[in-house]
Amino acid sequence: MKSFDGTLAVQPKKRVDIWGLLIGLVLIIISLVCLLPFVHVVAKSFSEDAFVIANKVFLWPKGFSVEAYKKIFADQSILRSFYISVIVTVLFTFIGMVITILAAYALSRQQLRWRTALTMIFTFPLFFHGGIIPEYMMINNLGMLDTIWSLILPLAFSSFNLIVMKSALSSSIPVSLEESARIDGAGHFRILWSIVLPLSKPIIATLSLFYAVGRWNSYQDALFYIKQNTDLRPLQLKLYYLIIQGSESFQLEATQVSLSNPEILKASCVVFATVPILLIYPFIQKYFVQGVMLGAIKE
Amino acid sequence: MSISNSLRQDWQLYLILVIPLCFVILFKYAPMTGLVLAFKDYKIAKGFWGSEWVGFDVFREIFSKPDFALALRNTVMLNLLDLVFSFTMPIVLALLLNEIKSVKFKRMNQTLLYLPHFLSWIIIGAIAYQLLGEGSGAINNAIASLGGNRVPFLQEDTHWLISYLFIGVWQSMGWGTILYLAAISGINPEMYEAAIVDGAGRWRKIWNITLPSIRFTIITLLIMNLGKVMEGSFERIFALQNKATTEFTTTIPVLVYRWGIESGNFSRATALGLFQAIIGLTMVLLADRVAKKLGEDGIF
């Protein structure tokens, strides 16, 4: 604490708040560090070979060209991966939310017996799990290897999201509202559907975003579970082989020799895979800050 | 109220719970039975039940592998370093963001800071190579055009380690601020007003009011993170690794993958996974105990 005394001398009620300005400046720099790498890749993806090879592209495209994107949209296997990712993400988010909402509603009701024990059952997997081999064998036993369900069902429940949802439900739904509904003869299905759901939009939007982003971005389970059936590779796994391993080439590469700079292709793949997330993000942002806060404040 | 009464009155409630419960049991608890493989010599031909019990032999075997020692060292080292940098940065950032009075400026900054969290590790890996690559990475191009020497950010072990840590901080710092900012927003403004009357400046308010008020959040997250000291992200390592840097990339999750999925040695990989999970759970429980001893709330 003593060490801050020196700075106090600068503080007292001056017109210009030097520390305030400095903090703002530091934040601007850190924010730019978060943004600029992505801008650089976007710039590269729209540039012409010659400029990229000559290392001339930084934050603005040079010799504007969409050739790389044309190539991506001409590659059937990438489009299929994109399509798989979209289907998997939508189904996963839907199923995940249904389970989370049902569990959170039941566990947040005072009338539920064995509430603590049941909550423990749902949250314990957060701290201990079987590990990837037992899980792999389970998926195998269920006959889900190399099917789309291996990417949807095993991870569709998240203990973390349940905890957030549960504390949001217990803090944001007035008990009196529920009681009066019960007096009017409403059952739990009715209360859940007509009272709880409409009142929980922010948290539902937030957790849907969590589920969707998590599913869209992960590739580990696809790497394990999608072995033979390459048609089922989601986009991120496809990109893993394409970009990181550099082992799979674009189908049309042999015929289109004119466009041979992989750097540009990689850059456009990055943009191609990121745009869907960036498109939903602004719509949900106002919800999720609110939503996370609801969930974060302790019961 | 008796159990049967409760069941009759709230049967819908129990019905609602059936689907999630089945789900959790099937996908979270049922796989745990597979952990017995760690105590068996698993042969595909003999099957799950037919394979022989070998007690702790598999554990003895993996502990004697040189790869295990390397993976253990790397996992602990990478995650502890991550804890030092990736855990503290969001706290600092949240304190700084809290000092911003303009709502617009604050929100704009937050939007940008959250961005990396929404990119997958594959994408981040790709961006990292585009920026930090030795031959054509933008940063090295800039260094070269200024007359400096190219730096092997991702192509040499020590440089790779630093880049790995930096990229981790980059990816998670903005997102990590959310919980802290939420906790800060719950602080009673009167405390600050009283402090100002007492003549406290900016730093004193941060040190004596803000930090103590978010202590609970910090400790909870710290305990949760300690449980991950044996884990580490498989996806992150896998996306950032390359042939030139092998010194630090063998970690426990990577080794589980190599032994299990790649080489099909299920017993060995399961045992390693179990070892990792037990240490993780122990760390969480220990940290929670210590936190309680020190007079904090803990998480259980």
Side-chain angles (χ1 to χ4, degrees), chain B residues 41-52:
Chain B
D41 180 22
Y42 181 69
K43 295 272 189 290
I44 294 180
K46 291 185 185 169
F48 186 81
W49 297 113
S51 297
E52 262 170 73

Side-chain angles (χ1 to χ4, degrees), chain A residues 26-57:
Chain A
V26 167
L27 281 174
I28 290 176
I29 292 173
I30 300 179
S31 296
L32 287 180
V33 169
C34 288
L35 177 69
L36 293 184
F38 191 67
V39 174
H40 167 72
V41 177
V42 175
K44 245 183 183 172
S45 74
F46 283 111
S47 296
E48 259 172 25
D49 282 358
F51 294 100
V52 174
I53 295 170
N55 297 334
K56 289 261 187 300
V57 181

Side-chain angles (χ1 to χ4, degrees), chain B:
Chain B
M1 210 188 321
S2 72
I3 291 175
S4 62
N5 253 345
S6 156
L7 280 176
R8 196 172 323 126
Q9 200 187 337
D10 291 305
W11 60 273
Q12 290 185 334
L13 199 57
Y14 297 91
L15 197 63
I16 283 174
L17 206 53
V18 168
I19 297 176
L21 202 58
C22 291
F23 221 85
V24 172
I25 289 171
L26 185 59
F27 289 109
K28 304 283 176 194
Y29 286 93
M32 289 182 195
T33 58
L35 286 171
V36 299
L37 282 190
F39 306 97
K40 284 188 162 199
D41 180 22
Y42 181 69
K43 295 272 189 290
I44 294 180
K46 291 185 185 169
F48 186 81
W49 297 113
S51 297
E52 262 170 73
W53 290 99
V54 291
F56 285 92
D57 281 3
V58 183
F59 287 92
R60 257 173 240 132
E61 186 196 338
I62 61 170
F63 292 154
S64 64
K65 294 258 171 210
D67 265 4
F68 171 79
L70 184 67
L72 186 62
R73 183 202 73 175
N74 285 342
T75 312
V76 172
M77 185 182 72
L78 290 182
N79 288 312
L80 282 183
L81 285 172
D82 242 1
L83 209 55
V84 174
F85 297 106
S86 294
F87 183 78
T88 46
M89 195 57 192
I91 302 174
V92 174
L93 214 49
L95 294 176
L96 291 183
L97 276 170
N98 189 45
E99 294 300 311
I100 300 296
K101 301 213 168 53
S102 153
V103 177
K104 240 183 174 175
F105 180 73
K106 192 170 162 184
R107 188 160 304 154
M108 190 191 73
N109 269 302
Q110 279 177 287
T111 306
L112 296 181
L113 289 168
Y114 296 157
L115 177 73
H117 173 82
F118 289 90
L119 309 179
S120 76
W121 280 112
I122 295 294
I123 299 297
I124 292 173
I127 294 179
Y129 282 102
Q130 299 260 344
L131 279 175
L132 304 173
E134 197 173 1
S136 60
I139 290 176
N140 268 318
N141 290 340
I143 294 175
S145 67
L146 293 173
N149 286 329
R150 288 182 177 270
V151 185
F153 289 112
L154 293 164
Q155 278 89 0
E156 190 271 325
D157 287 320
T158 312
H159 284 96
W160 182 89
L161 179 64
I162 295 165
S163 308
Y164 172 89
L165 291 170
F166 178 81
I167 292 167
V169 172
W170 181 80
Q171 192 258 358
S172 61
M173 62 182 175
W175 191 249
T177 59
I178 292 187
L179 285 175
Y180 297 115
L181 286 173
I184 290 174
S185 73
I187 300 174
N188 185 350
E190 281 174 19
M191 286 169 70
Y192 290 112
E193 281 155 25
I196 292 170
V197 173
D198 289 345
R202 186 194 299 274
W203 305 110
R204 187 146 275 246
K205 278 187 284 177
I206 291 179
W207 190 255
N208 286 349
I209 301 174
T210 315
L211 267 179
S213 305
I214 61 173
R215 198 179 56 196
F216 173 75
T217 312
I218 296 178
I219 288 170
T220 308
L221 292 176
L222 186 63
I223 295 174
M224 306 279 280
N225 275 293
L226 278 172
K228 297 196 181 103
V229 158
M230 276 292 146
E231 252 172 60
S233 165
F234 174 84
E235 295 197 344
R236 179 170 159 201
I237 291 252
F238 224 62
L240 293 172
Q241 70 173 3
N242 58 67
K243 291 196 179 72
T245 57
T246 50
E247 171 78 12
F248 300 119
T249 51
T250 302
T251 58
I252 290 184
V254 170
L255 208 54
V256 171
Y257 169 72
R258 262 191 233 155
W259 285 352
I261 307 279
E262 278 191 347
S263 322
N265 194 327
F266 281 11
S267 288
R268 207 191 280 170
T270 307
L272 186 55
L274 180 57
F275 167 77
Q276 168 192 344
I278 287 176
I279 305 252
L281 185 62
T282 316
M283 292 289 285
V284 171
L285 295 176
L286 263 180
D288 189 56
R289 263 282 181 77
V290 172
K292 278 182 185 146
K293 276 260 163 67
L294 296 175
E296 304 292 344
D297 276 344
I299 54 173
F300 291 111

Side-chain angles (χ1 to χ4, degrees), chain A residues 252-265:
Chain A
L252 300 177
E253 199 143 47
T255 51
Q256 292 191 346
V257 270
S258 62
L259 213 164
S260 57
N261 189 348
E263 290 297 305
I264 295 181
L265 264 181

